[in-house]
Amino acid sequence: WIGRPRALEEDLADCGLPTGTQNYHDVKISKQSLVAHPKRGMGTNFYHITTAMGVIVLRNVYRHDGPWWSQIALAQYDAHFAQNALRHIYLENVVNDDTTNCVRAIWAETQPPNSQMFDLAPAAVNQVAWDFDTPGYKAILGTELGKGAAAIVLSAYPRGTHRITRIVVWRL
């Protein structure tokens, strides 16, 4: 058990999530492939997930041929907390090309003139939110990592009772 992830400290506190030094369950799981993948060969599956009451933080993941990150994350959450208390899902270290390229493209549409460079422009705002059913919202949920977040909601709650109301992206 650890304290809240440093990169997210302020936002976690603002959302009313646990702030103690021992409130977060941190797990790292890795497993070598047993059977070669037809295209990728052998590899290692790696999942780094942190959970606390009301939140799942996907810290880092590499899936070669193992379970989806959403399955591992929800299992880790369920081991310690009630599913109906889950309110937030954070993806901390996004390096998935599909998701990164999508976010960069729709982020640029929200920025002031001359600040189109996601990583470099000082004029770019540091946080953008897309509300339910907007084009940017739909685009992000259509990415590999967005589908995983949606899978958690679909798995954790009875159909039609909960939805992802907002997607927020930070430029750190």
Side-chain angles (χ1 to χ4, degrees), residues 25 32 38-39 54 61 65 67 70 73 75-76 79 92 94 96 102 108 118 133-136 161 169 171:
H25 184 256
Q32 187 71 22
K39 294 180 182 175
V61 64
D65 62 352
S70 56
Q76 287 301 312
E92 183 180 0
V94 177
N96 175 274
C102 175
F118 179 82
D133 213 26
T134 60
T161 62
V169 174
R171 181 181 73 148

Side-chain angles (χ1 to χ4, degrees), residues 98-142:
D98 170 54
T99 304
T100 302
N101 292 339
C102 175
V103 168
R104 286 179 183 205
I106 63 176
W107 179 286
E109 298 169 7
T110 69
Q111 300 305 301
N114 303 320
S115 64
Q116 301 299 313
M117 297 293 290
F118 179 82
D119 295 321
L120 305 174
V125 296
N126 286 324
Q127 177 182 338
V128 175
W130 291 273
D131 288 322
F132 177 75
D133 213 26
T134 60
Y137 171 98
K138 291 175 182 178
I140 292 173
L141 278 187

Side-chain angles (χ1 to χ4, degrees), residues 24-114:
Y24 288 78
H25 184 256
D26 192 59
V27 64
K28 295 176 185 173
I29 301 170
S30 63
K31 185 163 184 356
Q32 187 71 22
S33 299
L34 296 176
V35 178
H37 186 276
K39 294 180 182 175
R40 295 181 294 220
M42 300 297 282
T44 302
N45 299 290
F46 177 76
Y47 308 88
H48 182 187
I49 299 164
T50 303
T51 58
M53 179 63 75
V55 63
I56 292 173
V57 181
L58 179 66
R59 311 288 300 270
N60 200 347
V61 64
Y62 176 76
R63 178 183 171 269
H64 185 76
D65 62 352
W68 298 103
W69 71 264
S70 56
Q71 294 170 316
I72 301 291
L74 194 54
Q76 287 301 312
Y77 189 84
D78 285 348
H80 302 285
F81 311 105
Q83 273 187 5
N84 62 355
L86 180 61
R87 296 288 178 264
H88 301 274
I89 301 169
Y90 285 84
L91 310 179
E92 183 180 0
N93 185 20
V94 177
V95 293
N96 175 274
D97 289 337
D98 170 54
T99 304
T100 302
N101 292 339
C102 175
V103 168
R104 286 179 183 205
I106 63 176
W107 179 286
E109 298 169 7
T110 69
Q111 300 305 301
N114 303 320

